[in-house]
Amino acid sequence: MSAEQAQRPIRCLVAKVGLDGHDRGAHVIARAFRDAGFEVVYSGLHRSPDEVVQAAVQEDVDVLGISILSGAHNTLVPKILEGLDGYGALSDTLVIVGGIVPDKDKQGLKDQGVSAIFGPGASMEETIAFVRENAPER
Amino acid sequence: MTDDDLLARLLDGDHRALARAITTIENRAPGHRDLVSGLYDHTGNAEVIGITGSPGAGKSTLVDKVAKTYRDQGLTVGIIGIDPSSPFTGGAVLGDRIRMASNIGDMDVFFRSMSARGSLGGVSIATADAVKALDAFGKDRIIVETVGAGQNEVDIIKTADTVTVLLQPGSGDDVQMLKAGILEIADVFVVNKADLDGANRTVQELSEMIGLRGSAGNESTARHADHHSGEEAVALQRADSDAEAEDESGWTPPIIETVATRGEGVEEFVEALADHRAHLESTGEIEAKRRTRYAEEIRTLLREDTADLLAEEIDARGGIDDLAAAVAAGETDPYEIADDLLDPIAEYARRTRDTDTAEPHPE
């Protein structure tokens, strides 16, 4: 890790949105990000898109990781993206999605502004490396 | 966005600019000094409340309920939650937001998580500056919440006008109450989880401790009285006889019992905060507090700057690893190295100061 990074840690919001109540994955990623030297804000379960947007804006995070297993990604994720855009925050926030997203839905989410989708089997190293490389310069 | 722009937008009530300003401050990024300088003119209107206590005592839950109470009174709220960072990786999980359920979707409660970032002193000045950003933005009440685990937190919490120490029942025997540090800084005590066994005992031990502190404080009140005019001295003496437990300014820290999860005792707590504020204003202590805080800010800033200057000097001499290796090899010792590094700087400062005073001023 460079001295620069040590001075300015990458800030992430790990968000659970909607009704799905499984947050073990979110806990694991929060812990892995922490061990990678990131500052991780964890949202807790059952957040609405508005809440996630509010948290992302107030915390001024570089990275927003949305964990979603319920299948409602096509409804909830676009609402978050729109909300971020409303605050002018979409352009310099790296949005990634983790969880269960069928292949046929992936391109649609990416077209709307999601940078990467990590499904089951994605390695932690891969995810962390992606964040390091793509976290926006500010 | 340029710094002027950022300041203008923050003052204009743009939440994203506020968020970005706090980031700039937290990172000590280029331009943060000008930014903070620009904030100063617009500060001084917010009431700043500090809350500290051990992990799991219920600070975040209480803060959430207090914020809700203020919102119901039509006030806007800024909250800074500070969590520890890993001493190994520098990473942190900032989890206080989870408890902010009462203020969902309400941008007028601006909650910001900060990591302690492991650096002594640094976090306290970043926090103090972040408080200024929230103040200048126009928040009526600002709450700083931090885990009270050590001396560092005691420093952070000094950025507040009113300091609350939160305890839960069973947090140690009466020897804990004798220890220095965190319990001494409280203006208000809260015993949370007051529905649990042992709450009465905790309250009782606290009140005994406050009583003891008060009688020690009274001696200094009496000493103070000698220096005051007759009228004030009489007032102070009267205060002496009125209450045993007052500190030298005449304030007795109240003990509030709460069950934060159910919102019980929150109104009483908010009233106690208002009482302390009124006390600070009526005694003029608020001004003294501000001066102390500015003095502390100047000192911290200077420590920060000299640390940077010294880091530069260490680099110029081959880096800290080389110096440490030299000590390990028995060639020198840390004291000698510190003297070597500091002497030229001290010498230069002394010479400049002497020249300044020796030369007559133009006017």
Side-chain angles (χ1 to χ4, degrees):
Chain A
M1 197 189 292
S2 73
E4 179 120 322
Q5 250 177 327
Q7 209 184 12
R8 195 191 86 84
I10 295 174
R11 278 174 78 85
C12 304
L13 172 64
V14 172
K16 284 298 300 183
V17 64
L19 296 174
D20 117 54
H22 299 275
D23 62 351
R24 178 162 305 178
H27 284 189
V28 169
I29 198 88
R31 168 84 192 251
F33 279 0
R34 186 200 80 184
D35 290 344
F38 302 173
E39 287 178 3
V40 189
V41 180
Y42 178 51
S43 75
L45 280 169
H46 306 309
R47 300 295 135 163
S48 71
D50 280 352
E51 278 177 84
V52 174
V53 169
Q54 181 183 2
V57 169
Q58 292 185 347
E59 301 288 355
D60 193 23
V61 289
D62 307 292
V63 183
L64 167 60
I66 306 166
S67 160
I68 190 158
L69 302 162
S70 65
H73 47 267
N74 281 340
T75 318
L76 297 172
V77 174
K79 280 188 187 158
I80 294 173
L81 298 172
E82 278 164 32
L84 287 177
D85 201 29
Y87 281 101
L90 185 58
S91 56
D92 60 0
T93 305
L94 180 75
V95 181
I96 57 178
V97 170
I100 313 289
V101 178
D103 285 343
K104 66 177 171 60
D105 293 345
K106 285 184 176 165
Q107 196 53 48
L109 292 178
K110 285 185 176 170
D111 290 344
Q112 294 172 71
V114 174
S115 294
I117 297 163
F118 297 94
S123 81
M124 227 33 109
E125 291 76 22
E126 191 193 330
T127 313
I128 288 165
F130 182 86
V131 169
R132 282 231 171 89
E133 276 161 34
N134 295 286
E137 286 289 327
R138 284 183 172 169
Chain B
M1 82 187 82
T2 67
D3 293 321
D4 274 354
D5 204 22
L6 191 59
L7 180 63
R9 283 178 45 208
L10 181 150
L11 296 173
D12 202 34
D14 178 346
H15 280 100
R16 187 159 160 73
L18 171 59
R20 185 57 54 89
I22 296 176
T23 306
T24 307
I25 285 166
E26 197 178 19
N27 291 334
R28 317 310 282 160
H32 80 270
R33 290 191 170 220
D34 291 344
L35 177 68
V36 179
S37 294
L39 292 170
Y40 265 93
D41 278 350
H42 307 273
T43 58
N45 300 312
E47 296 181 14
V48 186
I49 298 145
I51 298 189
T52 187
S54 54
K59 296 180 293 295
S60 302
T61 309
L62 184 67
V63 167
D64 178 50
K65 297 295 196 301
V66 169
K68 177 85 176 83
T69 308
Y70 283 140
R71 289 297 293 138
D72 291 344
Q73 296 173 4
L75 299 165
T76 59
V77 185
I79 306 166
I80 296 172
I82 302 161
D83 271 322
S85 54
S86 160
F88 304 110
T89 65
V93 170
L94 312 168
D96 293 335
R97 245 201 129 83
I98 298 174
R99 252 70 68 172
M100 291 296 131
S102 304
N103 301 288
I104 284 171
D106 181 3
M107 262 298 192
D108 287 325
V109 176
F110 191 100
F111 185 97
R112 178 62 177 252
S113 313
M114 287 176 95
S115 150
R117 295 205 176 167
S119 65
L120 283 159
V123 62
S124 52
I125 196 153
T127 308
D129 290 347
V131 166
K132 282 182 201 93
L134 289 165
D135 189 349
F137 184 85
K139 296 296 182 196
D140 301 306
R141 298 284 184 278
I142 298 166
I143 306 173
V144 180
E145 178 203 332
T146 184
V147 172
Q151 216 70 37
N152 211 8
E153 288 75 14
V154 172
D155 286 344
I156 294 167
I157 218 75
K158 281 187 201 150
T159 56
D161 304 320
T162 300
V163 173
T164 305
V165 174
L166 187 71
L167 295 101
Q168 57 180 336
S171 45
D173 58 17
D174 46 4
V175 177
Q176 296 298 340
M177 300 282 177
L178 301 176
K179 289 187 181 173
I182 196 133
L183 290 175
E184 294 174 281
I185 63 171
D187 300 307
V188 177
F189 284 103
V190 172
V191 176
N192 192 33
K193 308 187 186 182
D195 55 339
L196 293 185
D197 285 348
N200 287 343
R201 216 187 110 207
T202 305
V203 171
Q204 193 197 332
E205 281 169 359
L206 264 182
S207 40
E208 277 168 24
M209 184 207 72
I210 294 167
L212 285 170
R213 184 171 81 178
S215 55
N218 277 344
E219 281 173 33
S220 68
T221 312
R223 274 202 303 277
H224 265 288
D226 297 338
H227 304 290
H228 283 280
S229 67
E231 215 178 283
E232 277 175 306
V234 171
L236 282 165
Q237 272 156 8
R238 197 180 305 127
D240 268 358
S241 56
D242 278 349
E244 287 291 303
E246 286 171 353
D247 70 9
E248 47 202 283
S249 71
W251 174 255
T252 312
I255 304 167
I256 314 289
E257 293 178 63
T258 60
V259 184
T261 46
R262 296 205 295 263
E264 284 169 27
V266 173
E267 294 282 342
E268 288 83 346
F269 175 46
V270 169
E271 276 168 32
L273 294 173
D275 286 350
H276 185 251
R277 180 72 188 192
H279 166 80
L280 288 180
E281 276 167 9
S282 67
T283 55
E285 208 195 324
I286 191 93
E287 292 307 322
K289 249 179 198 280
R290 272 193 196 131
R291 280 194 298 274
T292 314
R293 199 177 310 149
Y294 289 144
E296 202 48 50
E297 278 177 33
I298 294 167
R299 284 198 195 99
T300 312
L301 209 52
L302 286 173
R303 269 200 298 273
E304 203 181 48
D305 289 352
T306 39
D308 287 349
L309 192 66
L310 285 171
E312 241 175 72
E313 195 58 28
I314 290 168
D315 280 347
R317 298 188 186 210
I320 194 83
D321 289 344
D322 283 4
L323 296 174
V327 176
E331 293 161 18
T332 176
D333 65 75
Y335 289 89
E336 233 174 273
I337 292 176
D339 285 345
D340 277 357
L341 283 169
L342 271 175
D343 279 347
I345 298 172
E347 176 60 30
Y348 179 79
R350 221 170 282 132
R351 214 166 44 209
T352 320
R353 196 167 48 223
D354 291 346
T355 331
D356 274 358
T357 43
E359 277 174 22
H361 283 288
E363 77 265 4

